[in-house]
Amino acid sequence: MPIRAKLHIMRLMQFPQALETVLQTLERMRDETGCRPCASRTVLDALKQIAPAQTSENLRAPTIDPPSRDYGAASSAPSSKTNKADKLAAVEERVRPCTKCPNLASSRTQTVFGVGNPDADIMFVGEAPGADEDAQGEPFVGRAGQLLTKIIKAMGFPREEVYIANVLKCRPDVPAGSFGNRPPTPREMQTCRPYLMEQIDIIKPKVIVALGAVAVEGLLGTRAPMRELRGRWDSFNGTPLMITYHPAYLLRNQSPSEKRKVWEDMMLVLERLEKPISEKQRNYFL
């Protein structure tokens, strides 16, 4: 086997989550294009040897086939016309029964995938579902969600015209008898992250808004106080990303100055989208 191929396999050994993401992508290509992705039988055999417990089931024949000699037939396969909504629905079908985090799967009521317009210009990303979201199966429906809806409407958008999701699709479990929510662990975020990446890749928003420090960590891997992060532009895989406070923070801190900071961040988003900003909006306070 070439040295370069061996190095790739060693990297896969170190990053099993990356391998799983690749396999999921190949399966999606198979389902959406009508033709099966091809891989060298040598590489398949090597992968089975280095990670039999994690890859043997995923590497069976129906998922990845050896190269075909009839290249003309493969190239003439009809291209898929599946729209964004159908693609998101397909990802949601995989998320719904997910048990990658056994503790979350056993304690949740249901997964909370995302909601909104698949063609949205703006995508809001929070940290994880709370009790209300776990019960209703929709992100941001509790008190923090009501405030987010108010912010979205003040920007001039109906809630259904943006897209809203979380880094985690399950509510983080809490000890029996406990109240409130806990933040996701880094491992939980890393495990669930590929689902969010697929959502972003399908929607292709013009701007992403990261709500709170946990969302920033889940998207960018950055840990820092929000006072140092908010109000400035970053980038996620080439998409402009605005960092601002989570609405729950504004519920805890009713200071008009803190609310004004979030609204100033949203005006920056409107400017990036080249949306007109009225005098009323410029003087608006949440």
Side-chain angles (χ1 to χ4, degrees), residues 5-190:
K6 290 182 179 179
L7 289 173
H8 282 307
I9 291 173
M10 289 175 65
R11 293 189 184 101
L12 290 176
M13 292 175 65
Q14 298 171 353
F15 300 99
Q17 186 63 49
L19 173 59
E20 182 176 347
T21 301
V22 170
L23 290 171
Q24 290 175 355
T25 301
L26 290 172
E27 289 178 347
R28 190 168 73 254
M29 290 169 59
R30 176 197 63 187
D31 295 339
E32 295 175 0
T33 63
C35 60
R36 293 178 174 179
C38 298
S40 164
R41 177 59 63 185
T42 301
V43 172
L44 291 178
D45 291 341
L47 287 171
K48 289 178 182 178
Q49 293 173 11
I50 64 171
Q54 296 179 6
T55 65
S56 59
E57 184 171 342
N58 288 328
L59 292 173
R60 288 173 185 167
T63 302
I64 305 176
D65 288 339
S68 169
R69 295 180 183 274
D70 187 1
Y71 298 105
S75 62
S76 62
S79 60
S80 172
K81 300 297 183 182
T82 308
N83 60 34
K84 290 182 177 182
D86 289 338
K87 291 179 180 179
L88 287 170
V91 179
E92 186 173 7
E93 282 298 310
R94 289 191 281 109
V95 169
R96 189 173 293 114
C98 180
T99 57
K100 293 179 182 178
C101 301
N103 58 312
L104 304 187
S106 63
S107 65
R108 75 189 180 212
T109 301
Q110 59 193 314
T111 54
V112 181
F113 182 67
V115 66
N117 180 7
D119 290 315
D121 288 341
I122 309 175
M123 182 171 180
F124 292 87
V125 178
E127 57 179 68
D132 293 321
E133 290 75 19
D134 179 67
Q136 298 185 40
E138 183 175 325
F140 284 92
V141 293
R143 292 181 61 222
Q146 293 168 14
L147 179 53
L148 177 61
T149 300
K150 180 180 178 182
I151 293 170
I152 292 168
K153 289 183 176 179
M155 295 174 71
F157 296 96
R159 176 181 164 108
E160 58 269 19
E161 283 304 309
V162 304
Y163 197 89
I164 306 172
N166 284 309
V167 174
L168 240 62
K169 309 308 181 192
C170 296
R171 184 191 181 198
D173 55 331
V174 294
S178 299
F179 296 95
N181 303 308
R182 70 163 176 85
T185 66
R187 183 173 182 177
E188 289 168 345
M189 288 192 286
Q190 185 62 30

